[in-house]
Amino acid sequence: MYLLNQRAEQVIEMGKVKQKMEIKVFDPKRERDIFVNMTEKNPGPLHVDAIVRIFERIIDESRRLERIEANEKNE
Amino acid sequence: MIVVFNENATAKQIQKVTEKLLDKGFDLHRSTGSSQVVFGVVGDTLRVDTRDFEVLDGVHEVIRISEPYKLASRSFKKEDTIVKVGKATFGGKKIGMIAGPCSIESRDQIKKIAKMLKKSGTKVLRGGAYKPRTSPYAFQGMGEEGLKYLREAGDMNDMAVVSEVMDRMDIIPALKYVDMIQVGARNMQNFALLKELGKINIPILLKRGMSATLQELLMAAEYIMAGGNHQVILCERGIRTFETYTRNTLDISAVPVLQQLSHLPVITDPSHGVGIRDKVAPMARASVAAGADGLILEVHYDPDKAFSDGAQTLYVNQYEQLVKELKIIASAVNRTL
């Protein structure tokens, strides 16, 4: 829980930087890199597919957080 | 909304759909399965035409979870809507009865029928002044003059009156005379008419089109409600099926289904539903047993000489007998009549 929230704080910071640099929230290449990175480092016994599914949710929620933060800033 | 991708969808195709959904402000819950990718799409998906996504490369299917109608939906308003028409109510414990001739034929005819119906406690009088006949050569109705006679007959017998309007030009004149406007089956998807009816402040009796799905009926109700008029009564009046013995097939299952999907009152029209006089009463009894909030029936003192729909019109004494039977059925399903 602590680590997830720490990650979320960094996501918010990243979002601010992305907005300043006018980079889109959705970066497919970066997301793919994360999945490759995670699956390569996976020691098991969780299957790599399971790792992808878990990280999909983490990234989906991160993107949602970035969107909400950006919307609040714009209002 | 759920987006299901083809088994062989490429990463690029999935990426394109992702971008389009994110651009529209939706949140995604991706789920990458062993053979297929599925997206759960969260947000205001009511505004989306699912076909816009179905045509994208790599997409197998787009499934809507929420109903496309909102104001008419039970999830929007939990408690039943009660529509008042004169002294009758539709949607509460009491079952509302609407009866009268198919067409208003003369001042004497409508007055005579109203007086007879009053005796059996009927609170709403029906009568057509603008008739949507299948043939242009058939009797087309008396128009505004007919509405005037309908109003007189209603007032003399302490009954509210309802009549059909086919053209939006006729709405304003009709408002001088009627307590409720009926949208006929043939006009259920006349969206210009529905929009105008959304701007007025009297109840609307919306009949199901003869080939309309229940969702289409609810979308038609949504048109009226979106304009600000929330007093809509839904009416099942028979649908087209392969069976030709009866004029239409009265879809009694529409009653419990509509009551589940919507908070609006639901009534049936067994006269048009079956089109054969001696089959009208059984279908009326079945409707009340199924939980209908009301009935609309065609009644005439001399159906064989009626200008229209004589074959499906009840004699007054048949109607009186039916009302007695309906009272017994109503109490069995914890309603009153």
Side-chain angles (χ1 to χ4, degrees), chain B residues 168-189:
Chain B
R168 60 200 168 112
M169 304 295 287
D170 295 327
I171 296 174
I172 301 296
L175 285 176
K176 283 191 278 181
Y177 307 104
V178 303
D179 302 296
M180 171 157 71
I181 286 180
Q182 177 182 319
V183 178
R186 287 164 187 81
N187 264 321
M188 190 203 84
Q189 285 186 316

Side-chain angles (χ1 to χ4, degrees), chain A residues 24 26 28-29 31-32 35 49 52-53 55-57 59-61 63-64 67-68, chain B residues 11-12 15-16 18-19 22-23 25-34 37 42:
Chain A
K24 273 196 158 186
F26 178 51
K29 193 180 170 300
E31 288 191 5
R32 220 162 24 240
F35 292 136
D49 291 350
V52 168
R53 282 195 294 270
F55 271 87
E56 271 178 352
R57 282 317 302 271
I59 294 171
D60 287 343
E61 289 303 332
R63 196 190 305 111
R64 181 181 150 83
R67 183 180 60 77
I68 290 168
Chain B
K12 205 157 194 182
Q15 184 186 318
K16 264 215 159 130
T18 308
E19 275 169 3
L22 293 175
D23 277 349
F26 295 119
D27 287 322
L28 300 183
H29 291 175
R30 291 175 293 180
S31 178
T32 305
S34 54
V37 175
V42 187

Side-chain angles (χ1 to χ4, degrees), chain B residues 271-292:
Chain B
S271 305
H272 288 89
V274 284
I276 309 167
R277 187 180 303 134
D278 63 342
K279 311 293 183 292
V280 171
M283 297 320 278
R285 294 193 295 255
S287 298
V288 171

Side-chain angles (χ1 to χ4, degrees), chain B residues 113 323 326:
Chain B
I113 293 173
V323 169
L326 293 178

